[in-house]
Each structure stands twice: as C-alpha cells, then as structure tokens.
Amino acid sequence: LTNGKTARTQLFRLESLLRLYQRAFPDLERYRRTVKELEDALGDYAFATDSVTFARNTFNRENETRVPDAARKAQQEKILAGLEKKREAARRVLTKRVETSTLGTDLPRLHSVVASRFAAWTPSKDLAYVKVELHRLLKDVRDGRFDFDRLEDGIHEFRRRLRWFPVLIDSLDGV
C-alpha cells in the first residue's frame, strides 16, 4: 500500500463493500466514514500531485517548441509555485489524517463485526442481497435528476453515483 493509487484503490474497494452492506448492517457506517475520510485525503493529495506533474510536463513541452520569454517563464514559475503550495497543503492534510485515523486499529474490530454479522448468511442469501442492492444503486442513478448543464451538481454528481457500480463489481471480484 505504499503506492498512492494502489492504496486509494483498496480504500475504494473497502468503502464500496461497506456501502453495499450498510443497509443490512447499519453499524458498518462508522467504518465506512473512517475509510472515506482517509480515501478523500489521499485523493486530494493525488490530484494535487498529478496537477503539478501535468503542469510541469506541459510547460516543458511548450518550452521545447518555443523558448519562453522572461514574462512567460515567470508566469510558469508562479503557476508551479501555486500548485506546489496546494500539493504541500494536501500532503499535510493527508499526513494528519493518517496520523489520526483509527482505521489501523479498527480493522481487526471490523473483521470481527463482519464475521459475526455474516455468520448466518448463506451464499445464496448474500447473492440475493447483492443483486437487490446493485439494482437499487443503478435505479438511483437512472432515476436521479441531474442537470447536465451544471458541472458540480449535474455531471459530477451523476459520475459520483455511477462510479460505485464498477467499483462494487471489482470489490466483489466480479460476483
């Protein structure tokens, strides 16, 4: 889990499973929130890091084709400094979140909770439950009212809701 993308993928997978089963087992919500907080901080840091890399690569390509004048070079440096500042702030938030997260100590407890809650579930009961929940998830996306003229409340919200379906399928190892 030292690779940020790998760690984030595993956190997404765990969060998706906790989301899936929280209707049947509401006490899983506490664990889901803990996982989400850590994943959000990791995602913010990854975005900030990717932004710096993208800007640096873009400027390097631009500067290979045309040598920048002093004003353009200063503008590039200002943009990179601003992005580096955001990356550093995201790193501090991630560091604090990792240091204060209870996820590490919660995992053994979560394992026990899951084992006790699922003790009476047969594979057929689990499959039936998963089918209903996946259907509910897709129905929620299909029936949602999204204003696709609005970026955050429309397109982004649609993507946010829809993304859980493939993440769940992945987390369930294809069902």
Side-chain angles (χ1 to χ4, degrees), residues 9-175:
T9 298
Q10 296 309 315
L11 289 170
F12 260 132
R13 292 180 90 201
L14 179 55
E15 182 183 356
S16 73
L17 291 172
L18 293 169
R19 288 172 63 92
L20 176 68
Y21 290 104
Q22 75 184 10
R23 230 186 240 307
F25 307 110
D27 51 337
L28 295 179
E29 173 61 15
R30 175 174 92 70
Y31 298 103
R32 187 197 65 79
R33 281 193 314 266
T34 301
V35 171
K36 181 178 179 359
E37 288 174 358
L38 194 54
E39 185 280 320
D40 283 347
L42 185 56
D44 290 346
Y45 178 68
F47 178 76
T49 298
D50 290 348
S51 296
V52 170
T53 301
F54 177 78
R56 187 170 282 126
N57 291 343
T58 299
F59 294 152
N60 286 341
R61 280 192 308 276
E62 178 184 307
N63 295 347
E64 286 174 3
T65 60
R66 190 180 87 220
V67 177
D69 60 20
R72 179 63 182 148
K73 190 70 175 162
Q75 184 182 39
Q76 290 174 352
E77 289 172 4
K78 183 178 179 182
I79 290 169
L80 286 171
L83 291 172
E84 288 283 0
K85 186 175 179 180
K86 288 180 181 181
R87 179 173 67 173
E88 182 55 31
R91 188 195 62 74
R92 283 193 305 274
V93 168
L94 175 59
T95 299
K96 183 174 175 76
R97 184 72 65 213
V98 168
E99 290 171 350
T100 61
S101 177
T102 59
L103 185 59
T105 57
D106 284 349
L107 286 176
R109 197 169 331 130
L110 174 59
H111 185 270
S112 296
V113 167
V114 168
S116 69
R117 299 297 186 274
F118 282 92
W121 280 44
T122 63
S124 62
K125 180 178 180 175
D126 189 38
L127 184 58
Y129 176 84
V130 168
K131 284 180 180 180
V132 167
E133 288 301 304
L134 290 175
H135 184 265
R136 185 189 58 75
L137 177 85
L138 290 175
K139 188 175 184 298
D140 178 58
V141 173
R142 182 194 70 197
D143 296 345
R145 297 212 178 270
F146 305 101
D147 181 352
F148 289 103
D149 291 327
R150 298 177 55 107
L151 182 61
E152 184 62 32
D153 298 332
I155 296 169
H156 195 65
E157 182 58 28
F158 175 77
R159 183 203 62 81
R160 238 186 249 120
R161 288 191 199 177
L162 186 58
R163 79 171 172 196
W164 289 110
F165 186 79
V167 172
L168 272 168
I169 297 301
D170 177 57
S171 301
L172 293 165
D173 290 327
V175 183

